[in-house]
Amino acid sequence: MRLRILSREDNSLEIAFGGEGHTLLNLLQNLLLKQKGVKMAGYSKPHPLMDRSILFVNTDGDKPPEVALIEAAEEGKRLLKEFLEEFEKAARQVRRQDA
Amino acid sequence: MGEKLRVEALTLKGDTLRFILMGCDTAFANALRRTMISEVPCMAIEDVFIFANTSVMHDEILAHRLGLIPLKTDLERYVLPERCDCGSELGCSRCRAVLTLDVSAEGEARTVYSGDLIPEDPVIRPVNSEIPLVKLAPGQALKLEAYARLGLGKVHAKWQPVSCCIYQQVDERQLEALGIDRTEGVGKAFIFTVESTGCLPPERIVSEAVKVLMGKLEEFSEKMRRGELMEEIKEFEVVEEVGRGLYRVSAEEYEEEEEEEE
Ligand SMILES: [Zn+2]
């Protein structure tokens, strides 16, 4: 993953991701939109064959966009941890159904 | 944040795992699905050294068929070649496993099967020994050495650990029919079907996908904190970084080609 800031104005941040696509950016966008203080979040993949995506965040000013992004990543990590715990618990109770 | 994440295991049948994921958004379910398909590593044959091939099948077709054989994978003892310290084009015992094939048809025609491959590391062997590779006529022979490596599905589909990985969003009635207790109010619910090619157990593919996604978020969060935000971005990152053996194009060459066309 490589990151490069494309523009940083007032409460907006536009950042390019090298080597990442819909998998990560759609998740980040979703986590940003659920956050208080985030006015707008979106992403685009300018060319389907190129491994470069662009994420845009705009906040209300109480929270800089960088902080919103870090919080989104941390929330994603928390969800994944919660999922893994639940999944491992469920996997232990799985019913094997072999014909 | 809202409702609690919940997982209910349904069934495990052969290499197919079915489970229900409740209390998350579509984006989360989809990130998991996409990661399982394209970013969980598994083993596949990448380089083939052919010493003899008198069959009717051309070397490159044979090599392609060998690449598509699902292999049992060991993620503890092997690393992705681009992450291996050896830096060798041929690889070392941590980043490649060798399989050999030495078959000839004497007297009567015979079919060469995946089971004829002899693994150097007994763990890294074909998932199924009955995959036909080529049919040899009397007198024809095949002698080759195949190098299997870990790789990612986003580089080539032969490195996809799942033959099927889907989810279906279900409503309350369908959940009730499956006997799921909904008293807590679970929000959206997805039934996942994860079918492994046999390289790894399906539950391992799910937990590896979590590890991969977690690593991405971790890396992103760290880079944001440290302010590593002015890195150079290559337009064909995957091909240039991990696409061993693929046709390599640099962004400059691509632009030159475009100009020539004009
Ligand atoms: Zn190595």
Side-chain angles (χ1 to χ4, degrees):
Chain A
M1 181 193 301
R2 286 164 211 265
L3 302 175
R4 188 179 185 87
I5 289 189
L6 300 178
S7 78
R8 176 74 176 87
E9 284 162 17
D10 302 325
N11 301 314
S12 299
L13 175 69
E14 202 178 356
I15 184 166
F17 287 69
E20 297 298 336
H22 299 286
T23 309
L24 184 67
L25 289 244
N26 187 251
L27 180 62
L28 280 177
Q29 181 201 27
N30 174 266
L31 293 166
L32 283 167
L33 289 173
K34 288 205 293 188
Q35 240 179 74
K36 239 182 93 192
V38 173
K39 274 163 73 184
M40 192 189 146
Y43 81 97
S44 72
K45 197 160 184 266
H47 194 289
L49 296 181
M50 289 179 186
D51 311 302
R52 193 169 69 99
S53 310
I54 295 161
L55 183 67
F56 177 83
V57 203
N58 178 238
T59 60
D60 62 8
D62 292 339
K63 186 197 277 178
E66 288 85 355
V67 174
L69 276 170
I70 292 171
E71 280 179 18
E74 294 304 317
E75 171 65 7
K77 277 162 65 183
R78 192 192 65 76
L79 278 172
L80 281 169
K81 228 180 115 205
E82 197 178 319
F83 168 75
L84 193 60
E85 278 167 19
E86 285 284 305
F87 178 77
E88 280 171 352
K89 219 163 45 187
R92 279 195 290 274
Q93 295 163 354
V94 78
R95 286 169 281 151
R96 228 194 198 285
Q97 286 194 337
D98 279 324
Chain B
M1 266 205 182
E3 57 286 294
K4 200 186 170 304
L5 226 141
R6 229 176 103 191
V7 180
E8 245 4 279
L10 290 175
T11 55
L12 181 62
K13 197 174 182 179
D15 284 317
T16 309
L17 172 70
R18 297 208 334 134
F19 64 91
I20 309 182
L21 171 58
M22 288 170 278
C24 73
D25 283 340
T26 313
F28 184 80
N30 200 37
L32 269 179
R33 180 192 66 86
R34 287 178 63 96
T35 309
M36 283 190 249
I37 293 172
S38 63
E39 299 194 54
V40 171
C42 71
M43 276 283 182
I45 290 170
E46 167 74 342
D47 292 309
V48 183
F49 296 91
I50 298 173
F51 302 107
N53 175 17
T54 49
S55 77
V56 291
M57 192 177 280
H58 291 184
D59 289 359
E60 60 271 34
I61 310 292
L62 183 66
H64 182 247
R65 288 183 69 79
L66 285 163
L68 294 175
I69 299 171
L71 300 176
K72 287 267 176 216
T73 298
D74 182 346
L75 294 177
E76 268 72 48
R77 285 190 296 122
Y78 290 91
V79 292
L80 287 163
E82 58 272 20
R83 296 216 190 117
C84 189
D85 323 309
C86 74
S88 158
E89 185 83 11
L90 291 174
C92 65
S93 59
R94 265 171 61 71
C95 61
R96 60 112 176 82
V98 186
L99 295 104
T100 52
L101 187 69
D102 189 356
V103 185
S104 56
E106 280 148 27
E108 58 181 305
R110 68 162 284 185
T111 307
V112 184
Y113 292 97
S114 53
D116 290 318
L117 281 162
I118 299 159
E120 180 194 54
D121 175 350
V123 178
I124 313 300
R125 60 180 195 282
V127 163
N128 189 312
S129 59
E130 284 157 40
I131 304 168
L133 283 169
V134 60
K135 199 167 178 181
L136 299 181
Q140 293 182 342
L142 212 53
K143 192 174 180 179
L144 57 89
E145 204 170 81
Y147 285 23
R149 296 175 208 277
L150 283 181
L152 305 180
K154 68 176 173 184
V155 176
H156 192 295
K158 68 182 175 183
W159 281 306
Q160 210 176 279
V162 286
S163 40
C164 168
C165 182
I166 51 168
Y167 62 75
Q168 180 194 15
Q169 200 181 331
V170 285
D171 62 21
E172 290 192 24
R173 270 193 20 249
Q174 286 164 294
L175 276 185
E176 250 162 50
L178 287 163
I180 303 295
D181 170 35
R182 288 190 44 99
T183 43
E184 287 169 56
V186 289
K188 280 184 184 167
F190 306 90
I191 298 186
F192 269 81
T193 304
V194 181
E195 182 189 52
S196 165
T197 59
C199 58
L200 291 164
E203 57 273 27
R204 181 70 198 269
I205 296 173
V206 179
S207 60
E208 281 301 315
V210 172
K211 221 194 268 175
V212 170
L213 258 180
M214 186 75 96
K216 280 178 190 287
L217 290 169
E218 190 95 34
E219 190 184 352
F220 174 66
S221 176
E222 274 304 303
K223 285 196 168 180
M224 285 301 296
R225 270 180 235 266
R226 286 202 302 262
E228 286 174 27
L229 304 168
M230 273 328 237
E231 293 171 294
E232 182 157 2
I233 291 181
K234 293 175 192 157
E235 308 226 287
F236 296 97
E237 196 105 351
V238 175
V239 178
E240 285 179 30
E241 300 271 297
V242 300
R244 291 175 39 87
L246 289 179
Y247 175 55
R248 287 164 204 228
V249 210
S250 71
E252 292 86 62
E253 278 173 43
Y254 176 79
E255 275 157 23
E256 275 170 28
E257 275 172 32
E258 276 200 333
E259 275 165 29
E260 275 171 30
E261 274 169 30
E262 281 163 23

